[in-house]
Structures are given as structure tokens and as C-alpha cells.
Amino acid sequence: GQQVMQIPQYQHVQEGEDFTTYCNSSTTLSNIQWYKQRPGGHPVFLIQLVKSGEVKKQKRLTFQFGEAKKNSSLHITATQTTDVGTYFCAGQMNSGYSTLTFGKGTMLLVSP
Amino acid sequence: SAVISQKPSRDICQRGTSLTIQCQVDSQVTMMFWYRQQPGQSLTLIATANQGSEATYESGFVIDKFPISRPNLTFSTLTVSNMSPEDSSIYLCSVEGINYGYTFGSGTRLTVV
């Protein structure tokens, strides 16, 4: 079945440092989505990437979708303590078939 | 995006008992999804619930253990039956939006003792 690998599992940075998490799928994806889960909270949708090579930005967050539509990354510039949480990528194989496969997530800790 | 009300938010249950989790959506949706998230882990899809038909279960999950109801387009329940400590987890319902990913309920934190 479809597998979505995500690294690193955990990263601890100082406030102001950059952070990147990487996601790799065993199969070509229709789209990839990113979610953030704060400690004790539930996953919250951040963004969806659909096109090959797509790059999207949300303030300090930059999301990329690979040319082959099998890998993706999330980069946070100049982290803040509010960025703390676990970031999950989730791949969808077919846009008309809605099951998402989640990566294991990257837990980000930011020290002030 | 849709707003989902999920309850209970947490419960502590005795082994061998059952717990029913409810999710109410503020709009009509075709499919609702039930996930399990074990502590510090990722989300695993339990089943997809369509209104008017039996739920579709993922590998490793069976209807006898996790019966699901979907009586209308805004509501679903998941029952965790004959619970054991291994069922201690967070259970989440979700719905898919159009162009804005999945919306999740706030989750049910279940501890089985």
C-alpha cells in the first residue's frame, strides 16, 4: 500500500533558526497536504499542493511539491515559539478518492 | 471550512466496556472519516463512513470492534467495543473540504484501565 515517509522525527531549534521537514511517498500523488498539530490539539490544515514543482508560501512557511509529485517539504524561516507542534504531511493518491495517508510527523520544539 | 463538534473530549473506561464517540458537522458531507492517533504517533485511518451504506474499514480494523453509524449527512458515531488497554488512544473524526484539506474534530482522548 501507499507509504508516506517523513523526516526528521524530531527537531529542537533555537528561536530564529530555520526548520525543514521532508516528506517522501512510495507512489505518485495527486496532491499532498500539510497539517500542524499543537500539543494536546488536533491536526489543523495548513495547505494543499497539487501541481508538479509547485511552491507556496504562507508568511514564514514555504511548501514545495516535487517535480515527480512524490516528495514535498515544509520550510520555516526564523522559527518562533508559536511554531511549536508536530507537522504532518499527508498524501492523496487520487483526487476523487479521498483517503489520506499521513506521514509520521515531525515534532518541532523551539527554545526562546 | 466545516465545523465539527466531537464528544466526549475524554473518557476513562474500564476494560471490557464500550464507548460511543459522536461527531456532528455543521454542514452536509458525503463522507466522514474516523482516525486513531496513538500517543506521539501519526494518524491511522480506521474507516470511512458514507450515509446510507456500511462503513468501509481499513486493514486491521473490523466492524465488530469499531461499529460505525452514519444516520444522516451531518452525524456519525464510532463505538470502541470490548475495550482493552491497547485501545487507549485519541480518536478523531474528520471531513474533507473542497480545496481546503480535511477538518478534524477536537478528538476523544480515551484511556482504558
Side-chain angles (χ1 to χ4, degrees), chain A residues 35 37 40 42 45 92 98 103, chain B residues 37 42 96 100-102 105 109:
Chain A
Y35 293 80
Q37 186 174 25
H42 59 276
F45 175 73
Q92 200 167 27
S98 300
Chain B
Q37 185 177 29
S42 185
E96 184 180 23
Y100 52 82
Y102 280 38
R109 286 155 180 77

Side-chain angles (χ1 to χ4, degrees), chain A residues 9 33 35 37 40-45 48 88 92 95-105 107, chain B residues 31 33 35 37 40-45 48 58 90 92 96 99-107 109:
Chain A
Q9 197 171 352
Q33 301 173 23
Y35 293 80
Q37 186 174 25
H42 59 276
V44 174
F45 175 73
Q48 176 174 287
F88 292 97
Q92 200 167 27
S95 58
Y97 176 61
S98 300
T99 298
L100 278 184
T101 301
F102 280 81
K104 291 190 180 298
M107 182 186 296
Chain B
M31 289 188 281
F33 305 90
Y35 285 87
Q37 185 177 29
Q41 301 297 313
S42 185
L43 289 84
T44 301
L45 182 64
T48 302
E58 298 299 307
I90 300 170
L92 297 137
E96 184 180 23
N99 297 322
Y100 52 82
Y102 280 38
T103 300
F104 286 84
S106 54
R109 286 155 180 77

Side-chain angles (χ1 to χ4, degrees), chain B residues 70-105:
Chain B
R70 185 79 203 277
N72 57 55
L73 291 173
T74 64
F75 187 78
S76 180
T77 67
L78 169 76
T79 299
V80 186
S81 303
N82 188 25
M83 289 183 286
S84 66
E86 290 71 35
D87 294 320
S88 296
S89 193
I90 300 170
Y91 293 85
L92 297 137
C93 61
S94 74
V95 301
E96 184 180 23
I98 300 174
N99 297 322
Y100 52 82
Y102 280 38
T103 300
F104 286 84

Side-chain angles (χ1 to χ4, degrees), chain B residues 23-39:
Chain B
C23 273
Q24 178 76 51
V25 188
D26 69 343
S27 58
Q28 293 185 340
V29 293
T30 305
M31 289 188 281
M32 291 181 71
F33 305 90
W34 287 96
Y35 285 87
R36 181 173 73 183
Q37 185 177 29
Q38 294 178 311

